[in-house]
PDB file of all heavy atoms in Angstrom:
ATOM      1  N   ARG A 249     202.226 160.616 176.253  1.00 82.00           N
ATOM      2  CA  ARG A 249     201.787 160.740 177.661  1.00 82.00           C
ATOM      3  C   ARG A 249     201.187 162.124 178.015  1.00 82.00           C
ATOM      4  O   ARG A 249     200.736 162.346 179.141  1.00 82.00           O
ATOM      5  CB  ARG A 249     202.944 160.420 178.578  1.00 82.00           C
ATOM      6  CG  ARG A 249     203.436 158.943 178.412  1.00 82.00           C
ATOM      7  CD  ARG A 249     204.626 158.625 179.347  1.00 82.00           C
ATOM      8  NE  ARG A 249     204.253 158.766 180.746  1.00 82.00           N
ATOM      9  CZ  ARG A 249     204.795 159.726 181.545  1.00 82.00           C
ATOM     10  NH1 ARG A 249     205.672 160.544 181.112  1.00 82.00           N
ATOM     11  NH2 ARG A 249     204.428 159.762 182.826  1.00 82.00           N
ATOM     12  N   GLN A 250     201.241 163.001 177.068  1.00 82.00           N
ATOM     13  CA  GLN A 250     200.560 164.338 177.189  1.00 82.00           C
ATOM     14  C   GLN A 250     199.514 164.386 176.118  1.00 82.00           C
ATOM     15  O   GLN A 250     199.653 164.935 175.080  1.00 82.00           O
ATOM     16  CB  GLN A 250     201.541 165.474 177.049  1.00 82.00           C
ATOM     17  CG  GLN A 250     202.587 165.508 178.221  1.00 82.00           C
ATOM     18  CD  GLN A 250     203.473 166.752 178.132  1.00 82.00           C
ATOM     19  OE1 GLN A 250     203.406 167.563 177.270  1.00 82.00           O
ATOM     20  NE2 GLN A 250     204.397 166.859 179.102  1.00 82.00           N
ATOM     21  N   GLN A 251     198.391 163.764 176.431  1.00 71.00           N
ATOM     22  CA  GLN A 251     197.317 163.496 175.468  1.00 71.00           C
ATOM     23  C   GLN A 251     196.773 164.744 174.848  1.00 71.00           C
ATOM     24  O   GLN A 251     196.317 164.747 173.674  1.00 71.00           O
ATOM     25  CB  GLN A 251     196.195 162.721 176.114  1.00 71.00           C
ATOM     26  CG  GLN A 251     196.551 161.289 176.434  1.00 71.00           C
ATOM     27  CD  GLN A 251     196.557 160.425 175.133  1.00 71.00           C
ATOM     28  OE1 GLN A 251     195.561 160.275 174.490  1.00 71.00           O
ATOM     29  NE2 GLN A 251     197.664 159.893 174.829  1.00 71.00           N
ATOM     30  N   ASP A 252     196.753 165.877 175.547  1.00 71.00           N
ATOM     31  CA  ASP A 252     196.117 167.095 175.050  1.00 71.00           C
ATOM     32  C   ASP A 252     197.130 168.047 174.451  1.00 71.00           C
ATOM     33  O   ASP A 252     196.804 169.201 174.278  1.00 71.00           O
ATOM     34  CB  ASP A 252     195.313 167.759 176.198  1.00 71.00           C
ATOM     35  CG  ASP A 252     194.209 166.876 176.688  1.00 71.00           C
ATOM     36  OD1 ASP A 252     193.518 166.246 175.908  1.00 71.00           O
ATOM     37  OD2 ASP A 252     194.106 166.779 177.941  1.00 71.00           O
ATOM     38  N   THR A 253     198.334 167.579 174.171  1.00 80.00           N
ATOM     39  CA  THR A 253     199.392 168.416 173.626  1.00 80.00           C
ATOM     40  C   THR A 253     199.687 168.019 172.183  1.00 80.00           C
ATOM     41  O   THR A 253     199.955 166.863 171.890  1.00 80.00           O
ATOM     42  CB  THR A 253     200.679 168.288 174.471  1.00 80.00           C
ATOM     43  OG1 THR A 253     200.377 168.717 175.798  1.00 80.00           O
ATOM     44  CG2 THR A 253     201.736 169.212 173.907  1.00 80.00           C
ATOM     45  N   VAL A 254     199.671 168.973 171.314  1.00 86.00           N
ATOM     46  CA  VAL A 254     200.037 168.732 169.946  1.00 86.00           C
ATOM     47  C   VAL A 254     201.358 169.433 169.749  1.00 86.00           C
ATOM     48  O   VAL A 254     201.445 170.699 169.617  1.00 86.00           O
ATOM     49  CB  VAL A 254     199.034 169.251 168.901  1.00 86.00           C
ATOM     50  CG1 VAL A 254     199.503 169.021 167.464  1.00 86.00           C
ATOM     51  CG2 VAL A 254     197.693 168.575 169.159  1.00 86.00           C
ATOM     52  N   ALA A 255     202.477 168.722 169.762  1.00 92.00           N
ATOM     53  CA  ALA A 255     203.843 169.307 169.687  1.00 92.00           C
ATOM     54  C   ALA A 255     204.823 168.219 169.210  1.00 92.00           C
ATOM     55  O   ALA A 255     204.532 167.025 169.380  1.00 92.00           O
ATOM     56  CB  ALA A 255     204.239 169.879 171.021  1.00 92.00           C
ATOM     57  N   VAL A 256     205.944 168.641 168.682  1.00 95.00           N
ATOM     58  CA  VAL A 256     206.975 167.748 168.328  1.00 95.00           C
ATOM     59  C   VAL A 256     207.419 166.892 169.485  1.00 95.00           C
ATOM     60  O   VAL A 256     207.691 167.449 170.584  1.00 95.00           O
ATOM     61  CB  VAL A 256     208.188 168.463 167.673  1.00 95.00           C
ATOM     62  CG1 VAL A 256     209.304 167.492 167.421  1.00 95.00           C
ATOM     63  CG2 VAL A 256     207.762 169.153 166.411  1.00 95.00           C
ATOM     64  N   HIS A 257     207.445 165.564 169.327  1.00 96.00           N
ATOM     65  CA  HIS A 257     208.013 164.675 170.344  1.00 96.00           C
ATOM     66  C   HIS A 257     209.371 164.228 169.786  1.00 96.00           C
ATOM     67  O   HIS A 257     209.496 163.331 168.997  1.00 96.00           O
ATOM     68  CB  HIS A 257     207.102 163.460 170.505  1.00 96.00           C
ATOM     69  CG  HIS A 257     205.842 163.773 171.268  1.00 96.00           C
ATOM     70  ND1 HIS A 257     204.961 164.755 170.886  1.00 96.00           N
ATOM     71  CD2 HIS A 257     205.314 163.182 172.380  1.00 96.00           C
ATOM     72  CE1 HIS A 257     203.954 164.769 171.739  1.00 96.00           C
ATOM     73  NE2 HIS A 257     204.100 163.818 172.665  1.00 96.00           N
ATOM     74  N   PRO A 258     210.469 164.906 170.225  1.00 96.00           N
ATOM     75  CA  PRO A 258     211.780 164.695 169.618  1.00 96.00           C
ATOM     76  C   PRO A 258     212.260 163.300 169.717  1.00 96.00           C
ATOM     77  O   PRO A 258     212.934 162.770 168.788  1.00 96.00           O
ATOM     78  CB  PRO A 258     212.654 165.643 170.359  1.00 96.00           C
ATOM     79  CG  PRO A 258     211.754 166.656 170.986  1.00 96.00           C
ATOM     80  CD  PRO A 258     210.522 165.933 171.290  1.00 96.00           C
ATOM     81  N   GLY A 259     212.019 162.562 170.803  1.00 96.00           N
ATOM     82  CA  GLY A 259     212.472 161.181 170.977  1.00 96.00           C
ATOM     83  C   GLY A 259     213.989 161.050 171.043  1.00 96.00           C
ATOM     84  O   GLY A 259     214.567 160.143 170.490  1.00 96.00           O
ATOM     85  N   ALA A 260     214.654 162.004 171.718  1.00 97.00           N
ATOM     86  CA  ALA A 260     216.127 161.997 171.806  1.00 97.00           C
ATOM     87  C   ALA A 260     216.600 160.634 172.482  1.00 97.00           C
ATOM     88  O   ALA A 260     217.580 160.087 172.048  1.00 97.00           O
ATOM     89  CB  ALA A 260     216.633 163.259 172.556  1.00 97.00           C
ATOM     90  N   ASP A 261     215.929 160.327 173.548  1.00 97.00           N
ATOM     91  CA  ASP A 261     216.274 159.076 174.201  1.00 97.00           C
ATOM     92  C   ASP A 261     215.553 157.847 173.493  1.00 97.00           C
ATOM     93  O   ASP A 261     216.113 156.822 173.328  1.00 97.00           O
ATOM     94  CB  ASP A 261     215.915 159.120 175.689  1.00 97.00           C
ATOM     95  CG  ASP A 261     216.386 157.887 176.428  1.00 97.00           C
ATOM     96  OD1 ASP A 261     217.396 157.285 176.003  1.00 97.00           O
ATOM     97  OD2 ASP A 261     215.721 157.505 177.431  1.00 97.00           O
ATOM     98  N   ASP A 262     214.310 158.094 173.107  1.00 95.00           N
ATOM     99  CA  ASP A 262     213.501 157.039 172.547  1.00 95.00           C
ATOM    100  C   ASP A 262     213.182 157.328 170.993  1.00 95.00           C
ATOM    101  O   ASP A 262     212.192 157.947 170.733  1.00 95.00           O
ATOM    102  CB  ASP A 262     212.192 156.963 173.316  1.00 95.00           C
ATOM    103  CG  ASP A 262     211.293 155.800 172.836  1.00 95.00           C
ATOM    104  OD1 ASP A 262     211.792 154.886 172.207  1.00 95.00           O
ATOM    105  OD2 ASP A 262     210.113 155.851 173.161  1.00 95.00           O
ATOM    106  N   ASN A 263     214.061 156.967 170.102  1.00 96.00           N
ATOM    107  CA  ASN A 263     215.193 156.124 170.308  1.00 96.00           C
ATOM    108  C   ASN A 263     216.413 156.635 169.525  1.00 96.00           C
ATOM    109  O   ASN A 263     217.169 155.851 168.916  1.00 96.00           O
ATOM    110  CB  ASN A 263     214.863 154.667 169.978  1.00 96.00           C
ATOM    111  CG  ASN A 263     215.980 153.698 170.308  1.00 96.00           C
ATOM    112  OD1 ASN A 263     216.695 153.838 171.330  1.00 96.00           O
ATOM    113  ND2 ASN A 263     216.191 152.724 169.450  1.00 96.00           N
ATOM    114  N   ALA A 264     216.568 157.932 169.427  1.00 97.00           N
ATOM    115  CA  ALA A 264     217.748 158.438 168.784  1.00 97.00           C
ATOM    116  C   ALA A 264     219.022 158.046 169.500  1.00 97.00           C
ATOM    117  O   ALA A 264     220.045 157.796 168.931  1.00 97.00           O
ATOM    118  CB  ALA A 264     217.688 160.012 168.712  1.00 97.00           C
ATOM    119  N   SER A 265     218.929 157.829 170.780  1.00 98.00           N
ATOM    120  CA  SER A 265     220.083 157.382 171.583  1.00 98.00           C
ATOM    121  C   SER A 265     220.531 156.001 171.107  1.00 98.00           C
ATOM    122  O   SER A 265     221.698 155.699 170.965  1.00 98.00           O
ATOM    123  CB  SER A 265     219.769 157.373 173.072  1.00 98.00           C
ATOM    124  OG  SER A 265     218.749 156.445 173.443  1.00 98.00           O
ATOM    125  N   GLY A 266     219.495 155.101 170.914  1.00 98.00           N
ATOM    126  CA  GLY A 266     219.824 153.731 170.475  1.00 98.00           C
ATOM    127  C   GLY A 266     220.437 153.686 169.083  1.00 98.00           C
ATOM    128  O   GLY A 266     221.391 152.973 168.841  1.00 98.00           O
ATOM    129  N   VAL A 267     219.869 154.439 168.151  1.00 98.00           N
ATOM    130  CA  VAL A 267     220.369 154.511 166.763  1.00 98.00           C
ATOM    131  C   VAL A 267     221.756 155.141 166.716  1.00 98.00           C
ATOM    132  O   VAL A 267     222.628 154.637 166.022  1.00 98.00           O
ATOM    133  CB  VAL A 267     219.366 155.277 165.884  1.00 98.00           C
ATOM    134  CG1 VAL A 267     219.991 155.400 164.424  1.00 98.00           C
ATOM    135  CG2 VAL A 267     218.042 154.587 165.795  1.00 98.00           C
ATOM    136  N   GLY A 268     221.993 156.172 167.488  1.00 98.00           N
ATOM    137  CA  GLY A 268     223.268 156.822 167.540  1.00 98.00           C
ATOM    138  C   GLY A 268     224.332 155.840 168.068  1.00 98.00           C
ATOM    139  O   GLY A 268     225.464 155.759 167.522  1.00 98.00           O
ATOM    140  N   MET A 269     224.007 155.059 169.073  1.00 98.00           N
ATOM    141  CA  MET A 269     224.943 154.127 169.650  1.00 98.00           C
ATOM    142  C   MET A 269     225.271 153.001 168.671  1.00 98.00           C
ATOM    143  O   MET A 269     226.339 152.559 168.564  1.00 98.00           O
ATOM    144  CB  MET A 269     224.381 153.552 170.999  1.00 98.00           C
ATOM    145  CG  MET A 269     225.420 152.713 171.720  1.00 98.00           C
ATOM    146  SD  MET A 269     224.844 152.173 173.352  1.00 98.00           S
ATOM    147  CE  MET A 269     224.744 153.732 174.241  1.00 98.00           C
ATOM    148  N   ILE A 270     224.214 152.559 167.934  1.00 98.00           N
ATOM    149  CA  ILE A 270     224.421 151.537 166.912  1.00 98.00           C
ATOM    150  C   ILE A 270     225.442 152.004 165.891  1.00 98.00           C
ATOM    151  O   ILE A 270     226.383 151.231 165.529  1.00 98.00           O
ATOM    152  CB  ILE A 270     223.149 151.194 166.244  1.00 98.00           C
ATOM    153  CG1 ILE A 270     222.246 150.353 167.197  1.00 98.00           C
ATOM    154  CG2 ILE A 270     223.322 150.445 164.940  1.00 98.00           C
ATOM    155  CD1 ILE A 270     220.804 150.171 166.708  1.00 98.00           C
ATOM    156  N   LEU A 271     225.310 153.220 165.397  1.00 97.00           N
ATOM    157  CA  LEU A 271     226.247 153.751 164.389  1.00 97.00           C
ATOM    158  C   LEU A 271     227.672 153.818 164.946  1.00 97.00           C
ATOM    159  O   LEU A 271     228.610 153.424 164.257  1.00 97.00           O
ATOM    160  CB  LEU A 271     225.812 155.136 163.994  1.00 97.00           C
ATOM    161  CG  LEU A 271     224.478 155.220 163.239  1.00 97.00           C
ATOM    162  CD1 LEU A 271     224.071 156.671 162.960  1.00 97.00           C
ATOM    163  CD2 LEU A 271     224.529 154.415 161.896  1.00 97.00           C
ATOM    164  N   GLU A 272     227.840 154.214 166.201  1.00 97.00           N
ATOM    165  CA  GLU A 272     229.155 154.251 166.793  1.00 97.00           C
ATOM    166  C   GLU A 272     229.788 152.824 166.961  1.00 97.00           C
ATOM    167  O   GLU A 272     231.008 152.605 166.677  1.00 97.00           O
ATOM    168  CB  GLU A 272     229.108 154.910 168.188  1.00 97.00           C
ATOM    169  CG  GLU A 272     228.798 156.414 168.130  1.00 97.00           C
ATOM    170  CD  GLU A 272     229.971 157.196 167.517  1.00 97.00           C
ATOM    171  OE1 GLU A 272     231.183 156.824 167.741  1.00 97.00           O
ATOM    172  OE2 GLU A 272     229.725 158.202 166.821  1.00 97.00           O
ATOM    173  N   LEU A 273     228.955 151.881 167.370  1.00 98.00           N
ATOM    174  CA  LEU A 273     229.435 150.504 167.591  1.00 98.00           C
ATOM    175  C   LEU A 273     229.813 149.892 166.270  1.00 98.00           C
ATOM    176  O   LEU A 273     230.926 149.236 166.176  1.00 98.00           O
ATOM    177  CB  LEU A 273     228.334 149.699 168.186  1.00 98.00           C
ATOM    178  CG  LEU A 273     228.050 149.958 169.713  1.00 98.00           C
ATOM    179  CD1 LEU A 273     226.734 149.281 170.141  1.00 98.00           C
ATOM    180  CD2 LEU A 273     229.203 149.562 170.572  1.00 98.00           C
ATOM    181  N   VAL A 274     228.974 150.055 165.264  1.00 97.00           N
ATOM    182  CA  VAL A 274     229.406 149.531 163.925  1.00 97.00           C
ATOM    183  C   VAL A 274     230.674 150.166 163.344  1.00 97.00           C
ATOM    184  O   VAL A 274     231.501 149.449 162.786  1.00 97.00           O
ATOM    185  CB  VAL A 274     228.196 149.700 162.903  1.00 97.00           C
ATOM    186  CG1 VAL A 274     228.632 149.231 161.570  1.00 97.00           C
ATOM    187  CG2 VAL A 274     227.030 148.918 163.417  1.00 97.00           C
ATOM    188  N   GLN A 275     230.814 151.399 163.526  1.00 97.00           N
ATOM    189  CA  GLN A 275     232.054 152.061 163.087  1.00 97.00           C
ATOM    190  C   GLN A 275     233.285 151.452 163.780  1.00 97.00           C
ATOM    191  O   GLN A 275     234.287 151.152 163.108  1.00 97.00           O
ATOM    192  CB  GLN A 275     231.989 153.563 163.351  1.00 97.00           C
ATOM    193  CG  GLN A 275     233.176 154.366 162.821  1.00 97.00           C
ATOM    194  CD  GLN A 275     233.070 155.848 163.188  1.00 97.00           C
ATOM    195  OE1 GLN A 275     232.684 156.178 164.246  1.00 97.00           O
ATOM    196  NE2 GLN A 275     233.414 156.670 162.168  1.00 97.00           N
ATOM    197  N   LYS A 276     233.146 151.221 165.086  1.00 98.00           N
ATOM    198  CA  LYS A 276     234.255 150.632 165.786  1.00 98.00           C
ATOM    199  C   LYS A 276     234.529 149.217 165.373  1.00 98.00           C
ATOM    200  O   LYS A 276     235.661 148.809 165.221  1.00 98.00           O
ATOM    201  CB  LYS A 276     234.035 150.778 167.325  1.00 98.00           C
ATOM    202  CG  LYS A 276     235.167 150.229 168.145  1.00 98.00           C
ATOM    203  CD  LYS A 276     234.935 150.463 169.618  1.00 98.00           C
ATOM    204  CE  LYS A 276     236.186 150.026 170.480  1.00 98.00           C
ATOM    205  NZ  LYS A 276     236.014 150.260 171.924  1.00 98.00           N
ATOM    206  N   LEU A 277     233.474 148.479 165.198  1.00 98.00           N
ATOM    207  CA  LEU A 277     233.608 147.070 164.784  1.00 98.00           C
ATOM    208  C   LEU A 277     234.313 146.998 163.422  1.00 98.00           C
ATOM    209  O   LEU A 277     235.191 146.124 163.189  1.00 98.00           O
ATOM    210  CB  LEU A 277     232.252 146.379 164.671  1.00 98.00           C
ATOM    211  CG  LEU A 277     231.612 146.054 166.076  1.00 98.00           C
ATOM    212  CD1 LEU A 277     230.128 145.749 165.930  1.00 98.00           C
ATOM    213  CD2 LEU A 277     232.324 144.841 166.744  1.00 98.00           C
ATOM    214  N   ALA A 278     233.924 147.873 162.496  1.00 97.00           N
ATOM    215  CA  ALA A 278     234.511 147.895 161.180  1.00 97.00           C
ATOM    216  C   ALA A 278     235.972 148.281 161.178  1.00 97.00           C
ATOM    217  O   ALA A 278     236.749 147.842 160.324  1.00 97.00           O
ATOM    218  CB  ALA A 278     233.721 148.801 160.257  1.00 97.00           C
ATOM    219  N   ALA A 279     236.361 149.153 162.126  1.00 97.00           N
ATOM    220  CA  ALA A 279     237.718 149.625 162.200  1.00 97.00           C
ATOM    221  C   ALA A 279     238.665 148.803 163.067  1.00 97.00           C
ATOM    222  O   ALA A 279     239.864 149.066 163.083  1.00 97.00           O
ATOM    223  CB  ALA A 279     237.682 151.066 162.695  1.00 97.00           C
ATOM    224  N   THR A 280     238.120 147.744 163.734  1.00 97.00           N
ATOM    225  CA  THR A 280     238.893 146.962 164.649  1.00 97.00           C
ATOM    226  C   THR A 280     239.179 145.562 164.137  1.00 97.00           C
ATOM    227  O   THR A 280     238.193 144.771 164.058  1.00 97.00           O
ATOM    228  CB  THR A 280     238.230 146.886 166.038  1.00 97.00           C
ATOM    229  OG1 THR A 280     237.958 148.164 166.523  1.00 97.00           O
ATOM    230  CG2 THR A 280     239.137 146.167 167.036  1.00 97.00           C
ATOM    231  N   PRO A 281     240.363 145.206 163.720  1.00 95.00           N
ATOM    232  CA  PRO A 281     240.618 143.880 163.183  1.00 95.00           C
ATOM    233  C   PRO A 281     240.339 142.831 164.195  1.00 95.00           C
ATOM    234  O   PRO A 281     240.482 143.024 165.417  1.00 95.00           O
ATOM    235  CB  PRO A 281     242.074 143.936 162.821  1.00 95.00           C
ATOM    236  CG  PRO A 281     242.450 145.367 162.657  1.00 95.00           C
ATOM    237  CD  PRO A 281     241.500 146.079 163.663  1.00 95.00           C
ATOM    238  N   ASN A 282     239.839 141.667 163.789  1.00 94.00           N
ATOM    239  CA  ASN A 282     239.637 140.524 164.663  1.00 94.00           C
ATOM    240  C   ASN A 282     238.507 140.771 165.701  1.00 94.00           C
ATOM    241  O   ASN A 282     238.524 140.145 166.734  1.00 94.00           O
ATOM    242  CB  ASN A 282     240.908 140.050 165.329  1.00 94.00           C
ATOM    243  CG  ASN A 282     241.962 139.704 164.320  1.00 94.00           C
ATOM    244  OD1 ASN A 282     241.752 139.048 163.296  1.00 94.00           O
ATOM    245  ND2 ASN A 282     243.179 140.161 164.633  1.00 94.00           N
ATOM    246  N   SER A 283     237.639 141.720 165.464  1.00 96.00           N
ATOM    247  CA  SER A 283     236.596 142.030 166.391  1.00 96.00           C
ATOM    248  C   SER A 283     235.334 141.175 166.195  1.00 96.00           C
ATOM    249  O   SER A 283     234.488 141.069 167.167  1.00 96.00           O
ATOM    250  CB  SER A 283     236.194 143.517 166.307  1.00 96.00           C
ATOM    251  OG  SER A 283     235.668 143.795 165.053  1.00 96.00           O
ATOM    252  N   HIS A 284     235.151 140.549 165.053  1.00 97.00           N
ATOM    253  CA  HIS A 284     233.920 139.812 164.800  1.00 97.00           C
ATOM    254  C   HIS A 284     234.105 138.703 163.791  1.00 97.00           C
ATOM    255  O   HIS A 284     234.129 138.988 162.549  1.00 97.00           O
ATOM    256  CB  HIS A 284     232.839 140.803 164.382  1.00 97.00           C
ATOM    257  CG  HIS A 284     233.177 141.606 163.094  1.00 97.00           C
ATOM    258  ND1 HIS A 284     234.074 142.585 163.098  1.00 97.00           N
ATOM    259  CD2 HIS A 284     232.716 141.482 161.836  1.00 97.00           C
ATOM    260  CE1 HIS A 284     234.224 143.079 161.864  1.00 97.00           C
ATOM    261  NE2 HIS A 284     233.386 142.408 161.086  1.00 97.00           N
TER     262      HIS A 284
END
């Protein structure tokens, strides 16, 4: 959305937030008996 800018687009929300949440959810599912 900044067409004239050449710089790192970190993507902390899009989509490191989603990947990080997935890792936390899977860890909890794996550690919780009878969860799935």
